[in-house]
Amino acid sequence: MTPVLPRGVRLHHDRVRDRWVLLAPERVIDLDPIGHAILSEIDGASAVGEITDRLAVKYDAPVEQIGGDVREYLAGLADRRFLDMVP
Amino acid sequence: MTVQHKPQAARAVQVPAPMAMLAELTHRCPLSCPYCSNPVELTRKEAELPTEAWLDAFRQAADLGVLQVHLSGGEPAARRDLTELIAGARDAGLYVNLITSAIGVTRKRLEAFDAAGLDHIQLSLQGTNPEMADMIGGYRGGYERKMQAAAWIKELGIPLTLNTVLHRKNLHQLPRAIDMAVEMGARRIEVAIVQFHGWALRSRAALMPTLEQAEEASRVVAEARKRLKGVLVLDYVPADYHTATPKRCMGGWGMTGLNIAPDGQVLPCHAAQTIPHLTFDRITERPLRDIWYDGAAFNAYRGDDWMQEPCRSCDLKTKDFGGCRCQAMALAGDAAATDPTCAKSPLNAAVRAQAAEDQQGDGALVYRAFEDATKVPFGTG
Ligand code: SF4
Ligand code: SF4
């Protein structure tokens, strides 16, 4: 599965509040550093597994642990239609 | 005008920066929905802000902390400079949402909006067939033109939310509206039961949903949320006349967003002009930052200093902020009163009795119109 940010959903730096947010229809989703790290890896081409691998290296953490977190985070966004999962 | 200037530190309420701005570009509209949220006194074209003033307002809003702008009306497409305004709002760094009936919008214009960076469209739906939609909108042929525009939006891939306002005459169409949203490729639908202030008050006896309808709507929404998880998000504003708790006023008055009216008056809420004692600053006369933090209308109902009993000693006051100020104005004659749709309001019994009476009634629809215009249903706008 490849996560893709659909049109109408944008990663945005909120300069006034100095934080990262996801802008979506009628919604502003405040991103914590983990959420921002995951979303920054989404490039429309990388599959969930590749994203997990990259984050595991970057944060020096076990792939199994990161994989679960990433999957759960992305599923939550997909349920709310902020993210498409492309097979 | 003189406004008391309180430095931020001395204020009882910490006022956060606004997140959203509703830009009411014009009051002109081909439709004349009886529940229109525009004020009863509509602003004419001659008094509308020019392009440059709007572009400046977008920049000021973004500097202040606004992240999303909703371009609305009336019908925003009635502004010939709409493409330029979309581009300007995007340039300012804003997420740009267009709230439109899409009637009379050509494919070519939609392409231009798209190229200018439009993020999202909210398309209003008055009914799920021509008979209903054209009767409510007061515009024959409107439904067909809207469906054509919806098809173009889908072809162009512009993200879409379908906006429905439901009332006694069309509540039975809710299941079909939800299906239509999926067919149109919308990712979201807003299901709002009609709110009664401004124009809608005049048609209350025609629009008031029955208790059964209100309950059925909640059931339909709950079922659709389950069935369409991951396909369609449903945002729901239930009927407050039929529940014991009032509708929550945004994140609190003057706490999350602001509105700019077509003539540049800056309002804390789209219906704020129904509160006669409030005065509003103009974007052309005072910096937006000062208006937001120090404007008299914005400070009028911030925090809870203004609250009366029973709200004052109620635990829920930090949740619902005492309900809707505009509804309190309309029903209690006092904008600082407890929203009379709250069971704790001394007026609640009377409000419920009135609602019960209204839902039996078969009053006529009163269409919105400019004051000296004689608007007949099924006119051509
Ligand atoms: S009394 Fe006021 S604060 Fe309490 S529930 Fe009613 S409206 Fe809300
Ligand atoms: S005062 Fe009423 S209409 Fe205005 S924002 Fe609050 S709830 Fe909405």
Side-chain angles (χ1 to χ4, degrees), chain A residues 7-8 10 17 24 27 81, chain B residues 65 68 95 114 119 187 231:
Chain A
R7 276 192 61 182
R10 293 198 270 125
R17 299 168 189 83
R27 294 281 186 282
R81 299 251 41 202
Chain B
Q68 299 193 324
Y95 183 98
D114 191 19
D119 282 295
R187 298 209 293 259
V231 176

Side-chain angles (χ1 to χ4, degrees), chain B residues 244-246 307-312 314-318 320-323 325 338-339 342-345:
Chain B
T245 47
M307 277 187 193
Q308 309 168 355
E309 294 296 349
C311 291
R312 173 147 285 285
C314 177
D315 288 345
L316 292 175
K317 71 178 176 186
T318 55
D320 66 19
F321 310 101
R325 292 310 90 226
T338 295
D339 184 335
C342 174
K344 293 186 187 166
S345 161

Side-chain angles (χ1 to χ4, degrees), chain B residues 197 247-250 253 268-272 323-327:
Chain B
H197 20 72
K247 186 166 62 84
R248 160 194 162 96
C249 174
M250 310 173 285
W253 177 276
C269 121
H270 64 88
C324 174
R325 292 310 90 226
C326 302
Q327 190 147 274

Side-chain angles (χ1 to χ4, degrees), chain B residues 7-200:
Chain B
Q8 178 89 353
R11 221 193 306 264
V13 199
Q14 274 299 320
V15 181
M19 301 281 285
M21 176 164 105
L22 185 75
E24 289 176 358
L25 300 178
T26 178
H27 281 157
R28 290 173 287 141
C29 184
L31 299 186
S32 43
C33 306
Y35 48 72
C36 182
S37 64
N38 287 164
V40 174
E41 234 173 87
L42 296 168
T43 297
R44 296 187 169 278
K45 183 176 185 216
E46 304 75 63
E48 289 176 8
L49 287 181
T51 312
E52 198 38 61
W54 278 116
L55 297 179
D56 179 57
F58 297 150
R59 288 188 290 264
Q60 287 196 54
D63 287 344
L64 190 53
V66 167
L67 296 171
Q68 299 193 324
V69 66
H70 307 286
L71 305 179
S72 174
E75 172 49 60
R79 295 272 310 209
R80 305 183 71 163
D81 56 358
L82 184 55
T83 302
E84 207 180 325
L85 295 177
I86 291 169
R90 257 320 274 269
D91 275 351
L94 298 169
Y95 183 98
V96 185
N97 176 31
L98 179 67
I99 303 177
T100 179
S101 73
I103 289 168
V105 179
T106 59
R107 187 185 162 109
K108 207 161 157 236
R109 265 191 112 193
L110 285 168
E111 285 170 7
F113 299 164
D114 191 19
L118 181 64
D119 282 295
H120 177 252
I121 289 182
Q122 265 173 266
L123 179 68
S124 65
L125 189 75
Q126 285 73 20
T128 59
N129 54 18
E131 294 72 31
M132 180 65 70
D134 295 354
M135 192 255 292
I136 299 301
Y139 184 104
R140 188 183 310 222
Y143 178 82
E144 290 307 328
R145 301 179 73 183
K146 184 190 295 286
M147 290 306 114
Q148 175 58 261
W152 290 329
I153 292 168
K154 187 176 181 182
E155 279 169 35
L156 294 170
I158 304 175
L160 177 70
T161 289
L162 196 60
N163 273 9
T164 58
V165 175
L166 299 170
H167 42 77
R168 190 165 81 241
K169 295 204 183 297
N170 69 359
L171 247 163
H172 62 283
Q173 296 189 331
L174 173 58
R176 177 67 196 130
I178 293 170
D179 290 346
M180 282 173 73
V182 175
E183 291 162 14
M184 287 177 185
R187 298 209 293 259
R188 204 169 139 264
I189 184 171
E190 281 190 17
V191 177
I193 311 288
V194 66
Q195 300 289 317
F196 292 101
H197 20 72
W199 290 102

